[in-house]
Amino acid sequence: MKIRTKLLFAFGLYLLVSLSFGFIAYQELDTLTNTQRLLFYVLIAVALFGAVLTIRLAARIANSIRNLERAMRKIATGDSETSDDSTQRDEIASLETSFREMQTRLANTVSSLELAVRNLHEKQEQLVASEKLASLGRIAAGVAHEINNPLSIINEKAGLIRDIIRSAGDIPHRDNIEATTKSIIDNVKRCRAITHQLLGFARHMIVTLEEFDLNSLLEEVIGFLDREITEKRVRIERSLKAGLPPVTSDKSQLQQVFLNIIKNAVDAVPEEGVVRISTEGRNNTGLAVSIQDSGYGIHQKVLDHIFEPFFTTKTKGRGTGLGLFISHGIVKQLGGNIAVESKISHGTTFRIEVPFRVRLVGRKGEDAEA
Amino acid sequence: MPKLKVLIIDDEQEFASTLKERLIFRDYDTRAAFRAEHALSSINEEHPDVVLLDLSLEGVCGTDMLRAIRASGTDCAVIVLTGVADDHVFREAGEAGAADVLVKPIDIDILVERIDRAHSENDRKRGHFPNRRTDGSQ
């Protein structure tokens, strides 16, 4: 039964009882004195007045309850629109206000929870990927180590053959033997490059943190490539924003990343080409480094695979296809991001974002202190 | 000039023997020790000028071995050979007293250069002047 009906029923009873008493009293009116009769009429008036007040209050309560019920139903159906039709300033008005506030807060809580769940899912995926990467890293390191030994032996044996041939007098096929052993040694160097990169990949699982200036690091890296840059007369244009705050991250791993990408840029441009390197702040969370080359550019199809392991467009023997894969791994590991854009005949731009403080995706036992 | 005495400490016998041959070829008086225990006694008996120490000796921590050599009082220069090209390996080895660190597989020409360099720096530290010849000419 609705509240209004209950109220009407209660009021009806009240009316009945009052009228009954009134009627009985009225019968006895003749026996009363004037004063008593006056008192009686006053009482009637008060009773009527009280009745009117009560009706109004009851109606208001019933109305508010109806509004609350409507509002609650809105929440239940997901309608977040709130209406404001309270005209009085009493507890009921404040109840309605509190209720609307609760409505809003509930809506906010729901969206926060949704966001939190999404974040958790993402973190979980990252964790799984990170664990896989860690196992992969360990295997890679194991393989690289094991291979290094026979590789060193091959290197020395081939070198010994070469030593012997060089010191021998006139022997038939001398040139052939020399060339062949040189080829063996060159290919050993190729293998070495791969094992070293594999070991590098494994090593980046372990992070050592220090505070450093990013612009200085970039200058250092440019210095390392001095020979290549001078040989090709490449112009390095710097827009390194001054006064950037220092970064706390793994300096040597980031050095490896920038060395890889800047070297790629220098390799990509023709003689006297241009490589533009710029740094800027990134909305108070970190720094962004942009490395742009004036090379030919990279086709979208290649761009799609560019961070995959062993993917390279260099001719056989140059490049191991691990550089960008490892660089990508390192940057993601340190909580940053790496992206590439390219336009044919215009060039390629790599953008690396580094947070001020590393956010490591947790692995047991291998995290350095932040 | 007398030949430099070199001792190779590496448990990969084929590697150590072949490298020994190549160094002998280049006029270095070279020996090889395949086990950590033999290495220390070898150093004490032979007094090499330069020791080539492999960091990944079986059962022994390479840098501990390095410290042991340093502590034994011989003033040979120690060049460390390692399969891992890592900053922290370089740093640790340097702190433990290595004169140089080379990453395997090695380039023999670079090795020879470093052996000579390590020895002459060692000489300088000891107060010998490597450019002085026995016949008095400079």
Side-chain angles (χ1 to χ4, degrees), chain A residues 145 155-156 163 167 192 203, chain B residues 22 25-26 84 86 105-106:
Chain A
H145 261 128
N155 193 42
E156 294 308 318
D163 291 344
S167 71
R192 174 172 59 179
R203 257 185 296 121
Chain B
R22 299 184 75 191
F25 215 86
R26 288 161 172 76
V84 179
D86 197 345
I106 321 171

Side-chain angles (χ1 to χ4, degrees), chain A residues 75-336:
Chain A
I75 288 188
T77 58
D79 182 353
S80 57
E81 195 204 289
T82 56
S83 49
D84 187 61
D85 57 5
S86 61
T87 47
Q88 297 190 8
R89 300 202 174 297
D90 56 7
E91 293 94 323
I92 291 179
S94 105
L95 187 66
E96 287 184 10
T97 317
S98 303
F99 196 74
R100 279 188 199 106
E101 275 171 24
M102 191 180 73
Q103 241 177 321
T104 322
R105 212 175 302 148
L106 195 65
N108 288 343
T109 307
V110 167
S111 39
S112 308
L113 274 172
E114 281 173 354
L115 187 66
V117 168
R118 259 203 311 276
N119 280 344
L120 269 171
H121 268 148
E122 217 181 270
K123 280 282 177 287
Q124 187 184 41
E125 275 174 17
Q126 277 180 22
L127 200 65
V128 168
S130 171
E131 289 297 328
K132 283 188 186 161
L133 215 58
S135 320
L136 201 62
R138 278 190 286 275
I139 293 173
V143 167
H145 261 128
E146 290 302 317
I147 288 189
N148 244 356
N149 286 332
L151 209 59
S152 301
I153 294 172
I154 294 172
N155 193 42
E156 294 308 318
K157 296 284 183 187
L160 184 59
I161 295 175
R162 203 198 218 174
D163 291 344
I164 295 170
I165 293 299
R166 281 180 176 169
S167 71
D170 231 345
I171 45 161
H173 313 291
R174 185 212 188 87
D175 289 341
N176 197 352
I177 298 173
E178 266 236 56
T180 310
T181 44
K182 180 178 188 303
S183 171
I184 294 175
I185 293 170
D186 287 345
N187 278 286
V188 163
K189 289 201 177 110
R190 248 176 95 187
C191 292
R192 174 172 59 179
I194 295 175
T195 55
H196 283 175
Q197 282 211 302
L198 278 177
L199 286 169
F201 164 65
R203 257 185 296 121
H204 89 240
M205 294 286 117
I206 299 164
V207 168
T208 359
L209 297 178
E210 63 187 286
E211 196 180 82
F212 59 92
D213 174 60
L214 195 64
N215 289 342
S216 307
L217 180 64
L218 287 166
E219 286 292 354
E220 235 178 78
V221 170
I222 295 171
F224 289 151
L225 292 166
D226 188 57
R227 187 172 58 92
E228 288 89 342
I229 291 172
T230 329
E231 266 173 19
K232 273 175 97 165
R233 297 198 299 282
V234 172
R235 201 169 72 237
I236 307 283
E237 279 177 12
R238 299 157 170 78
S239 295
L240 307 177
K241 183 149 181 218
L244 289 173
V247 165
T248 303
S249 191
D250 189 316
K251 184 175 175 187
S252 64
Q253 288 194 36
L254 279 179
Q255 184 187 82
Q256 196 182 334
V257 171
F258 293 128
L259 192 60
N260 176 229
I261 295 179
I262 298 177
K263 180 164 195 302
N264 283 351
V266 170
D267 285 345
V269 300
E271 294 255 331
E272 299 179 8
V274 180
V275 173
R276 266 180 214 97
I277 302 175
S278 66
T279 55
E280 60 180 12
R282 218 192 124 248
N283 50 275
N284 287 335
T285 55
L287 301 178
V289 180
S290 173
I291 297 161
Q292 183 185 16
D293 67 66
S294 64
Y296 178 70
I298 305 175
H299 287 283
Q300 186 57 47
K301 267 202 225 145
V302 174
L303 275 186
D304 290 339
H305 298 285
I306 206 167
F307 294 118
E308 284 171 21
F310 300 112
F311 182 80
T312 180
T313 54
K314 289 183 175 161
T315 50
K316 273 225 174 340
R318 312 193 64 229
T320 57
L322 285 175
L324 283 175
F325 169 64
I326 290 175
S327 296
H328 180 263
I330 290 174
V331 171
K332 295 300 280 188
Q333 163 102 342
L334 298 175

Side-chain angles (χ1 to χ4, degrees), chain A residues 26 29 34-47:
Chain A
Y26 189 68
L29 213 53
N34 277 339
T35 329
Q36 285 171 325
R37 210 175 300 166
L38 188 64
L39 197 63
F40 175 72
Y41 287 132
V42 166
L43 280 172
I44 301 275
V46 167

